[in-house]
Amino acid sequence: MTDELDASIRELADIPAVEVISRACVMLMSSAAEKLGLADEDPDTSARRDLDEARRVITALAGLVTASVEYLGPHAGPIREGLQSLQRAFRETSAHPDEPGKGPGEKYTGPVY
C-alpha cells in the first residue's frame, strides 16, 4: 500500500499546477450543477437540488478561480464563464434571489447579473 501511495504522490507531482487547478474547478462546477438540479431532465423537480449546498460549492469555486486566475492562462475565460453561468442559474433557481453582489461567490467575483 505504501508503494502505491508513494507512486500516486509522485504522479501527482508530475501534473502541472494549471491542470490540478482546472480539474478542481471542473469538479466544483459539476458538483454545483448537480446541486442546482441541472443534471436532471427537469431541474425544478430534481431530488438532488440543494441550494444551500450549491451556494457553498459556488462560493468555493469563486474563491479558487479568483485566487488562481493569473495561473490559468487560456483556461481562465471558459472557467470564469462557467462560474458566472452557475451564479446566474443559482439566482434564477432561488425563490428569493439575492441582491446583485450578495449571491454565492459574488464577494470574490463582483456582481453577476
Side-chain angles (χ1 to χ4, degrees), residues 6-105:
D6 289 342
S8 67
I9 290 171
R10 273 187 248 119
E11 289 174 16
L12 189 56
D14 294 335
I15 299 172
V18 67
E19 191 171 332
V20 173
I21 296 166
S22 297
R23 285 183 187 184
C25 288
V26 169
M27 181 180 282
L28 290 167
M29 286 180 186
S30 297
S31 176
E34 289 281 345
K35 293 177 186 316
L36 289 171
L38 299 177
D40 293 328
E41 212 170 291
D42 183 7
D44 293 329
T45 61
S46 174
R48 292 181 266 199
R49 180 179 276 178
D50 185 336
L51 295 183
D52 186 48
E53 287 286 304
R55 176 184 296 277
R56 293 172 190 194
V57 175
I58 294 169
T59 300
L61 173 62
L64 176 59
V65 171
T66 301
S68 61
V69 72
E70 69 183 288
Y71 307 114
L72 294 174
H75 303 282
I79 290 173
R80 278 183 162 165
E81 289 172 16
L83 169 58
Q84 289 174 353
S85 293
L86 290 166
Q87 289 171 310
R88 280 191 217 96
F90 184 93
R91 179 167 281 119
E92 291 169 6
T93 301
S94 297
H96 305 286
D98 299 314
E99 296 176 31
K102 301 290 184 184

